[in-house]
Amino acid sequence: MEEDKKIILFDGVCNMCNSTINFIIKHDKNDIFRYASLQSDIGKQLIEERNIDTSKLDSILLIEPKKVYYYKSTAALHIVRHLSGLYPILSLFLIIPPFFRNWVYDIVAKNRYKWFGKKESCMIPTPELRSLFIDQH
């Protein structure tokens, strides 16, 4: 695993989450992120190594190189900081209290399967993208 990369753990069976990961990959011009599903062995290992409370994990987790991690809306807003284009402006929403941001986030997370669907198994990256997924090595 590359020590200087930020790791995004995501719900690998969620269509919305998979679309979001594809969007991040497209806009990660500085090659900041690596990816793994929450359901993967490496995802479970990273969660266990950091003693992360799994009750707070429902769709996305950002793990920084120094064992710092973010979940829910805070993870999403820290991710957009590193994307190309105007997306980093969205990180200004970090000034909104987390309890409010996460209330909105939780509504979307709770309904994501109903609104966007669910896969039977985790996403399999194309050969071109395989090197970005740490659980595929």
Side-chain angles (χ1 to χ4, degrees):
M1 201 172 342
E2 298 167 76
E3 298 298 320
D4 62 330
K5 300 297 180 187
K6 299 174 188 286
I7 301 168
I8 299 174
L9 298 182
F10 64 99
D11 181 350
V13 297
C14 167
N15 287 336
M16 183 185 86
C17 302
N18 283 298
S19 294
T20 300
I21 293 302
N22 288 330
F23 176 86
I24 293 168
I25 289 169
K26 181 179 176 183
H27 293 90
D28 181 17
K29 302 297 185 197
N30 294 318
D31 193 32
I32 303 285
F33 302 109
R34 293 296 177 262
Y35 312 89
S37 72
L38 289 164
Q39 297 89 345
S40 68
D41 290 339
I42 190 70
K44 292 174 188 172
Q45 177 187 334
L46 290 167
I47 290 166
E48 186 178 313
E49 285 174 359
R50 287 157 180 80
N51 295 317
I52 297 171
D53 179 0
T54 57
S55 70
K56 296 180 180 180
L57 301 180
D58 51 10
S59 57
I60 194 163
L61 176 72
L62 174 63
I63 299 174
E64 300 268 352
K66 300 283 188 222
K67 297 199 178 203
V68 172
Y69 64 89
Y70 305 101
Y71 55 90
K72 296 190 179 199
S73 65
T74 305
L77 293 171
H78 278 276
I79 290 167
V80 299
R81 278 184 162 168
H82 301 287
L83 300 182
S84 62
L86 296 175
Y87 299 105
I89 292 170
L90 294 172
S91 66
L92 291 174
F93 284 109
L94 284 165
I95 65 172
I96 296 173
F99 72 87
F100 182 74
R101 285 188 279 114
N102 287 334
W103 176 74
V104 174
Y105 180 93
D106 288 340
I107 291 170
V108 174
K110 180 181 172 190
N111 292 291
R112 69 187 186 275
Y113 295 145
K114 182 172 32 172
W115 295 342
F116 300 97
K118 183 177 177 179
K119 299 179 181 307
E120 291 298 316
S121 61
C122 291
M123 169 180 137
I124 299 173
T126 63
E128 303 85 50
L129 299 179
R130 193 171 309 273
S131 66
L132 301 176
F133 287 79
I134 58 176
D135 57 340
Q136 300 295 321
H137 295 227

